[in-house]
Amino acid sequence: MKRVFIITIALFGVSGVFDVKAQNNGVENSFWGVQTGLLGVWAHSETRLTNKLAFRTEAGIDAGFWYTKSTWFGENSGYALIPVLTLEPRLYYNILKRQTKGKSIVHNSANYLSLKTSVHPSFGIVSDKSEVNGDLLILPSWGIRRSIGRHFNYELGLGAGYDYIFPKNGVRDHGEFVIGLNLRIGYSHKIR
């Protein structure tokens, strides 16, 4: 009976060690952060789903500025500040490879593929033009995320997708092909 007890304790102890190591492989359990780029500011949270898959939620303000000059339409310029809510599954496809090579994977420092789904609601828009409408953006993307020290990070990404623009002020709903560029720097902190 003593042997069975000792063997049982030893197996649970060993399996506990492996569980702790398995939790540290790949994507981090969860963290939050803030980021800024040329055109906006965002707060986000990432939660681990598997060793390579994380789910990102984000809220923030997107900004836009434009100027066009045309022979037929004259000059047109403006600005817009638009609230945005984003849900984005991210597949960090090389995170385990980076970890085995001894490279940093702090706050999911790896290359990723994602399906970014963002809603810009029609309310809360600050603009000098009344024609600025809310929209729903679906943007498959590729990107990289790297940490600078323990808490700071940067992201670079590129994607192409579909933007459905909601009707407003007599403007019909319509959709268009879009290209998305992601250039951000930010601060992240692990959730305990």
Side-chain angles (χ1 to χ4, degrees):
M1 184 69 175
K2 225 180 200 181
R3 271 193 250 171
V4 173
F5 180 73
I6 291 171
I7 291 171
T8 305
I9 296 296
L11 287 175
F12 278 113
V14 170
S15 69
V17 169
F18 289 126
D19 284 345
V20 170
K21 286 184 180 177
Q23 289 175 1
N24 293 330
N25 285 337
V27 172
E28 284 197 29
N29 283 336
S30 60
F31 64 91
W32 62 270
V34 291
Q35 290 181 318
T36 188
L38 294 175
L39 299 173
V41 63
W42 309 271
H44 68 271
S45 173
E46 278 193 35
T47 304
R48 174 190 174 121
L49 298 176
T50 68
N51 283 349
K52 292 183 177 184
L53 190 62
F55 191 73
R56 181 181 175 107
T57 55
E58 181 177 271
I61 302 290
D62 283 347
F65 304 93
W66 62 90
Y67 175 80
T68 58
K69 186 172 183 178
S70 168
T71 306
W72 293 313
F73 301 109
E75 290 186 22
N76 183 15
S77 64
Y79 70 90
L81 299 173
I82 306 170
V84 61
L85 299 171
T86 301
L87 301 176
E88 181 179 14
R90 285 187 172 185
L91 174 66
Y92 290 97
Y93 61 87
N94 74 334
I95 197 162
L96 298 174
K97 184 177 179 182
R98 285 180 58 82
Q99 186 175 27
T100 58
K101 288 184 172 184
K103 295 183 179 180
S104 173
I105 60 166
V106 173
H107 301 297
N108 300 340
S109 292
N111 299 1
Y112 64 85
L113 297 172
S114 73
L115 182 61
K116 183 175 185 176
T117 306
S118 297
V119 174
H120 295 94
S122 295
F123 60 88
I125 297 173
V126 176
S127 177
D128 63 342
K129 304 288 183 189
S130 62
E131 303 89 35
V132 177
N133 296 7
D135 66 344
L136 171 66
L137 173 68
I138 299 173
L139 190 71
S141 300
W142 170 87
I144 64 169
R145 178 183 176 91
R146 296 293 186 269
S147 289
I148 305 167
R150 190 79 191 139
H151 293 287
F152 294 94
N153 60 71
Y154 67 90
E155 288 188 21
L156 307 168
L158 182 64
Y162 183 76
D163 191 17
Y164 172 77
I165 299 169
F166 302 134
K168 179 182 169 189
N169 297 338
V171 176
R172 291 182 2 174
D173 63 328
H174 63 283
E176 57 192 25
F177 174 79
V178 293
I179 294 177
L181 181 61
N182 185 20
L183 301 169
R184 296 181 179 185
I185 189 164
Y187 174 86
S188 295
H189 190 72
K190 188 173 183 173
I191 299 172
R192 303 250 177 228

